[in-house]
Amino acid sequence: MDIIRENKYMWKVEKFKNMKVPVYVLTDSQTIRSQEYHEAIMQLVNVATLPGIVKGSFGMPDIHWGYGFPIGGVAAFDADSGIISPGGVGFDINCGVRIMTTSLEFSEIKDYIDEILTRVYNEIPVGVGSRTNFKLSVKEMKKILNNGVYWAINNNYGLAEDLYNIEDSGKIKYADADFVSDEAIKRGADELGTLGSGNHFIEIQIVEKVFEKENAERYGLFEGQIVYMIHSGSRGLGHQVATDYIKIFRDNLKDWNKKIPDKQLINAPFKSKYGQEYFSAMNAAANFAFVNRQIMGHKIRNIFKDLFDVESKLLYDITHNIAKLEKHNVDGEEKDLIVHRKGATRAFPDQIVLIPGSMGSSSYILLGTEKSMSIAFGSSAHGAGRVLGRRQAKRRLNYKNVLNSMKEKKIKIISKSKNTIVEEAPEVYKDVDSVVDIIEKIGISRKIAKLTPVGVVKG
DNA sequence: ATGTGC
């Protein structure tokens, strides 16, 4: 397999064998040859063989191996002749990031970080299997799955204005709860407003640096400001939807999937019965995830209101695990496409892009660009990308050292699991600053603000 | 990511 240089930050694998389009990887010359890239690029090659794929099989700078499709991959399929695949979305449907801003400066809250973290930890269930102590009825769950954040606003979990600041207003219209299994609904019924574990987090952060003053001001951002970020998804409900439809496709679309180069790329024609049913269920799970982050954001907003008498503003909430029906210009022709972004963020012109770091490392607020539309269907990266697997992390790092380095950086942390701390330590990820620098140099997003954590809640 | 592994 030859990887050729297309330009300074774009690499190409020409079509060979059954590939319908080339592979394009957006990154610099240092990372392109690394081991974790090699596996991911092989997966992008496999994706390039799938029916109806348009233009290219794209890798963002943070790509690494995932189920079927790599994490950090973007692939768009013709809505009429193409496919939809659960592996191209990921198990955590609508895993995403929410950022909320306050009018506070760090100096005003620096003595209260522990108190904020303790209250967040006490009021929001975190960790593996985190549950609320109430169970929603099936009827209520279906309302949530169909109406997304509109349900939350109607039930006093937030302000009406929040709807303007969520991707798709927190409600994807193609959702249909009738295609979500009883089992998935059951799993979700006591998981609404819970963080989960792994790379999910709640952080209190400082705006460390503003890059574009005018744009920062437009969004009410200033250096020294306190903001908070939530990184979470659709919990067990989304996981169950993915599991259910992978099985449904296996049971019912055996012939259709005969030629896929990897079993994990199992898919359905988008316009088919099974394709549409997965699309409806996936969007229902996406709405659940929007509400999940809405409820956590609302609770933290109330904690800040109670402690400091300030109102927080939802700046933006974005997903980085989803397949979306979008119109894009391909070779001068407007086409309806089903754009799979798995560990990739939509980055339309002038739209907020959020890139979360991990524990000790920084997070970023960026803006999408016109140029991103002409590269990978208006997409950008979603994080730093792992360099160490969970097992490797446990072998090379230990809990005390990770905590000490957090302490040296003056970052407070509350966590449910020692394992998670080691598995999600900053050292386990690529340097987020360099990933962000690359996406800015490529031109798919522009930096608006860099955020540094002062307090972290982990599962 | 996940009531963490078929």
Side-chain angles (χ1 to χ4, degrees), chain A residues 31-47:
Chain A
T31 38
I32 188 71
R33 309 280 165 198
S34 63
Q35 184 56 43
E36 69 267 16
Y37 264 67
H38 188 77
E39 287 180 313
I41 293 168
M42 289 305 293
Q43 291 192 307
L44 289 176
V45 166
N46 290 339
V47 169

Side-chain angles (χ1 to χ4, degrees), chain A residues 384-429:
Chain A
R386 264 186 184 275
V387 284
L388 289 183
R390 289 172 199 276
R391 207 180 308 161
Q392 285 176 302
K394 272 183 271 197
R395 214 165 43 212
R396 293 198 204 169
L397 307 170
N398 77 67
Y399 177 65
K400 279 207 170 135
N401 291 350
V402 178
L403 277 195
N404 275 336
S405 78
M406 298 278 289
K407 206 169 184 180
E408 274 165 30
K409 290 187 223 163
K410 298 198 167 111
I411 303 167
K412 309 244 185 186
I413 180 159
I414 298 192
S415 173
K416 194 151 212 176
S417 148
K418 288 184 183 179
N419 253 340
T420 303
I421 298 294
V422 174
E423 289 173 1
E424 298 299 326
E427 293 87 343
V428 164
Y429 290 89

Side-chain angles (χ1 to χ4, degrees), chain A residues 188-253:
Chain A
D190 57 357
E191 286 180 320
L192 197 60
T194 66
L195 183 67
S197 76
N199 64 3
H200 291 167
F201 65 70
I202 293 168
E203 284 188 358
I204 314 301
Q205 304 168 332
I206 312 180
V207 177
E208 184 191 309
K209 191 169 167 50
V210 155
F211 296 93
E212 289 186 6
K213 210 163 180 235
E214 239 172 73
N215 274 322
E217 271 172 19
R218 187 149 66 98
Y219 293 106
L221 295 164
F222 56 90
E223 287 178 6
Q225 180 182 16
I226 289 295
V227 301
Y228 44 95
M229 181 175 274
I230 300 163
H231 181 204
S232 186
S234 52
R235 311 285 292 104
L237 182 141
H239 194 274
Q240 190 63 48
V241 167
T243 307
D244 288 341
Y245 279 89
I246 287 168
K247 185 172 188 321
I248 290 170
F249 288 6
R250 263 189 211 138
D251 292 345
N252 297 282
L253 296 164

